[in-house]
Amino acid sequence: MSELLTAAQMRAIEMAAIESGEVTGLELMERAGRGVVEAIFEEWPELAKTSQRAVVLCGPGNNGGDGFVVARLLKEWGWEVEVFLYGDAEKLPPDAKVNYVRWREMGEVGSYPDYDKRETWQCDLLVDALFGTGLTRGLPDLGELFWNLDDMVDCFEIEFGHELGRPAVVAVDIPSGVCADSGRDFPNSDDHFRFSARAHMTVTFHSKKPGHLLNDGPVGCGKTVVADIGLSRSDEPGSLSRQTLIEKHGERWLGRVISRAVEPPLSPYLSKETDEHKYAHGHALVLSGGVGKSGAARLAARGALRIGAGLVTLGVPPSAQMEVASQITALMLQRVEGSEGLESVLEDARLNALCLGPGLGLARARELVPVAVRAKHAPDVVLDADALSAFADEPAQLFDLLHERCVLTPHGGEFKRLFPDIHAKLVEVPTKGPAYSKVDATREAAKRVGCTVLFKGPDTVIADQMGRCSINSAHYERSAPWLATAGSGDVLAGFITGLLARGFSTMSAAETGAWLHVECALEFGPGLIAEDLPEQLPAVFRKLEL
């Protein structure tokens, strides 16, 4: 998994490298600008073969300095380049000012209002180097530009050489107006226009930032490329970058303040060994609702079995026994009528992972959740859907039951009902940055309940009670819109339960289950329904060479 650095963490790493003498600010700016140009030519190789027209919009900070470097390098490549500055050249930071002067030796610098008056793009490439990761406020006077950029990216195909201009739009570090820590915009009073830019491609430096994966950040970024600017890795023991973050946060807290992107390599324990028997991979129990309501639990159970749990049993009330029995084969069935029935079943300590919620029913959930969570042998417990909604009126009743071996998997509505105060902060209009993010919200929720919380969405965020946090992004090349179908969340709950049965930690089970969930959707593609998800796991596992 790769680390996702906040704007403040990234600034600290850059400053440490500069102060150590390892590199100068000018060298970092040169590397950044060169990284942008290299990314452009890699994405659109035809642009490197001939002279084209570029417009570079530079802002008043170091992001603008990167833009001046991009302009100079494109000019040296033989391009026609126009540069427009938003702000006062005399107030540019020192390194940006040096690159402004270097560009002025090659070409003119117009003022941004002059460009804003144009009715057409008049270029093949437009570079947004206005505001980067340091932005903490709204940009009302750029709203019309942002609107036009959105129109260009959303409504027109890139067409190099077009008379009026159908340019590729490239953002430096992050589209202007987007908070790098949260992926949120900074709204302003001029709500007729957009609050942030859009791009076909965003080139960021050293590592992705949370805002590249959260909220609407990925929509604005288009595609995100990470350019290496020669800084040491922050996850490398003994490196200057890591030492800087330790000094900033403390070594004990480092894993609790840096979020990560969920990506391969996954846990080595996902495979199975030849000398293991079924009980080596645990026994999961999925509790079902009554007659006509058992489908969701069967989806979860199928997911748990497919992901490798040694045995999976459906705990079914008497009314649904015939219904369930006629629908299952490899899954087992156990009658569980009420709290006493569940207590009796849980005397079997081999049942090491429980799943409650999918199709369970609110009344049955209120009765069974306390028994499951407080089982004497302390199995891992996944609470989803009805197991969360059953306590919406009194969330504290649920929270008092929970322990560190629980996993909560709320979607947005369930999160709002369980954590109304946290949700209110998440949807509050940010007036200054960094804006409160989904990472902040999930961490706060996990700390409150003392267990792992998986906050669903295309930007699924997973956090545990210690503050460790990761983002499973279903954006960019992993965009999986067909997951928006009834029952897909039930399968995810089953995936996590199955991994817990196999001995995964709650955090690892949630991360791995969420990642595999998206991969299964991508494997199947359009037309996906929930029943298809578990059946894609064999193909996904083969690709992982398990």
Side-chain angles (χ1 to χ4, degrees):
M1 297 191 190
S2 58
E3 292 183 341
L4 303 169
L5 300 178
T6 65
Q9 290 164 347
M10 188 66 205
R11 280 195 300 273
I13 287 174
E14 290 175 333
M15 289 306 301
I18 293 169
E19 291 170 0
S20 73
E22 182 180 285
V23 68
T24 67
L26 271 176
E27 288 171 331
L28 284 178
M29 196 168 282
E30 186 73 17
R31 294 173 188 176
R34 191 170 298 279
V36 172
V37 173
E38 290 173 353
I40 290 169
F41 288 164
E42 183 173 347
E43 182 69 15
W44 299 286
E46 61 270 38
L47 293 183
K49 297 176 182 178
T50 183
S51 174
Q52 303 286 353
R53 302 168 298 166
V55 168
V56 183
L57 304 179
C58 295
N62 284 328
N63 196 251
D66 297 339
F68 289 121
V69 175
V70 172
R72 173 167 48 81
L73 294 175
L74 290 175
K75 185 75 170 179
E76 291 172 353
W77 200 268
W79 283 44
E80 298 176 28
V81 182
E82 293 182 281
V83 176
F84 296 88
L85 175 63
Y86 177 92
D88 184 351
E90 295 303 315
K91 296 181 180 179
L92 287 168
D95 294 334
K97 183 67 175 294
V98 169
N99 278 304
Y100 166 83
V101 172
R102 289 176 178 175
W103 166 254
R104 286 290 286 113
E105 294 172 355
M106 304 177 73
E108 298 293 325
V109 175
S111 66
Y112 170 74
D114 292 336
Y115 183 74
D116 197 37
K117 295 174 184 176
R118 291 187 177 181
E119 295 184 358
T120 60
W121 295 107
Q122 300 178 32
C123 61
D124 302 298
L125 172 71
L126 186 135
V127 178
D128 168 17
L130 289 164
F131 291 90
T133 59
L135 182 70
T136 59
R137 61 181 177 85
L139 301 169
D141 47 345
L142 293 176
E144 187 169 3
L145 170 68
F146 295 160
W147 181 280
N148 290 331
L149 287 172
D150 178 66
D151 192 49
M152 175 60 224
V153 172
D154 200 41
C155 301
F156 296 94
E157 294 291 330
I158 297 170
E159 187 177 342
F160 301 128
H162 190 280
E163 182 180 359
L164 300 179
R166 294 286 184 266
V169 181
V170 175
V172 177
D173 226 356
I174 199 161
S176 294
V178 176
C179 172
D181 289 4
S182 67
R184 301 177 67 187
D185 295 342
F186 294 105
N188 55 69
S189 57
D190 190 4
D191 58 5
H192 176 70
F193 294 118
R194 280 181 58 86
F195 302 131
S196 65
R198 281 191 67 182
H200 294 104
M201 181 174 72
T202 297
V203 184
T204 193
F205 311 115
H206 185 65
S207 78
K208 288 181 181 177
K209 316 305 181 290
H212 292 119
L213 302 181
L214 292 173
N215 208 278
D216 290 331
V219 176
C221 291
K223 172 184 179 179
T224 298
V225 175
V226 179
D228 183 4
I229 54 174
L231 298 173
S232 60
R233 290 175 56 89
S234 53
D235 58 357
E236 182 180 316
S239 69
L240 176 60
S241 294
R242 184 169 183 82
Q243 187 58 39
T244 300
L245 295 178
I246 289 174
E247 291 174 2
K248 181 177 178 64
H249 299 294
E251 186 166 14
R252 178 185 174 190
W253 294 95
L254 201 55
R256 309 176 190 184
V257 295
I258 298 177
S259 54
R260 304 175 300 167
V262 180
E263 57 192 18
L266 302 176
S267 170
Y269 302 111
L270 198 54
S271 61
K272 292 189 175 184
E273 301 298 328
T274 56
D275 60 347
E276 294 174 329
H277 53 75
K278 60 187 177 184
Y279 280 106
H281 295 283
H283 189 170
L285 175 66
V286 180
L287 279 299
S288 166
V291 64
K293 302 291 185 180
S294 67
R298 284 187 277 115
L299 284 171
R302 183 77 173 178
L305 192 63
R306 271 290 187 200
I307 212 161
L311 303 92
V312 180
T313 294
L314 276 158
V316 183
S319 65
Q321 281 185 258
M322 291 296 292
E323 174 181 291
V324 172
S326 66
Q327 296 285 340
I328 62 175
T329 48
L331 296 169
M332 297 187 292
L333 185 151
Q334 172 67 54
R335 174 173 173 156
V336 177
E337 185 166 1
S339 58
E340 291 184 0
L342 182 57
E343 287 175 356
S344 177
V345 169
L346 291 180
E347 290 178 3
D348 183 353
R350 293 176 299 179
L351 292 167
N352 64 332
L354 314 179
C355 177
L356 294 88
L360 190 59
L362 300 183
R364 185 164 164 81
R366 281 190 290 268
E367 182 179 7
L368 297 187
V369 166
V371 177
V373 174
R374 292 304 184 186
K376 291 181 181 179
H377 67 289
D380 294 312
V381 182
V382 176
L383 299 179
D384 182 46
D386 288 345
L388 303 177
S389 297
F391 297 89
D393 293 336
E394 293 289 342
Q397 290 183 3
L398 174 63
F399 300 165
D400 288 343
L401 297 170
L402 301 175
H403 52 74
E404 62 184 12
R405 301 189 69 170
C406 295
V407 180
L408 309 187
T409 59
H411 57 53
E414 291 159 348
F415 189 93
K416 178 181 179 180
R417 291 190 287 272
L418 289 176
F419 308 101
D421 57 324
I422 298 176
H423 180 267
K425 289 193 287 185
L426 185 59
V427 299
E428 183 180 3
V429 176
T431 57
K432 61 180 181 179
Y436 191 78
S437 73
K438 193 172 181 179
V439 164
D440 298 323
T442 311
R443 273 194 172 123
E444 188 173 349
K447 182 178 180 180
R448 178 176 298 179
V449 298
C451 66
T452 298
V453 174
L454 181 148
F455 189 173
K456 295 175 188 173
D459 55 349
T460 291
V461 179
I462 305 152
D464 70 7
Q465 68 279 8
M466 302 298 291
R468 293 179 298 175
C469 188
S470 58
I471 302 172
N472 181 62
S473 175
H475 293 108
Y476 306 116
E477 72 281 358
R478 297 192 78 233
S479 177
W482 286 91
L483 275 175
T485 184
S488 67
D490 304 320
V491 175
L492 174 59
F495 280 4
I496 297 169
T497 304
L499 292 169
L500 290 171
R502 296 186 61 186
F504 282 54
S505 69
T506 55
M507 189 72 180
S508 180
E511 291 171 337
T512 305
W515 189 87
L516 290 171
H517 192 241
V518 173
E519 288 300 302
C520 288
L522 296 174
E523 183 68 27
F524 189 91
L528 173 81
I529 59 175
E531 287 96 321
D532 301 318
L533 286 166
E535 310 317 309
Q536 307 314 306
L537 276 172
V540 172
F541 285 164
R542 282 193 293 272
K543 288 182 177 179
L544 293 172
E545 299 182 350
L546 297 184

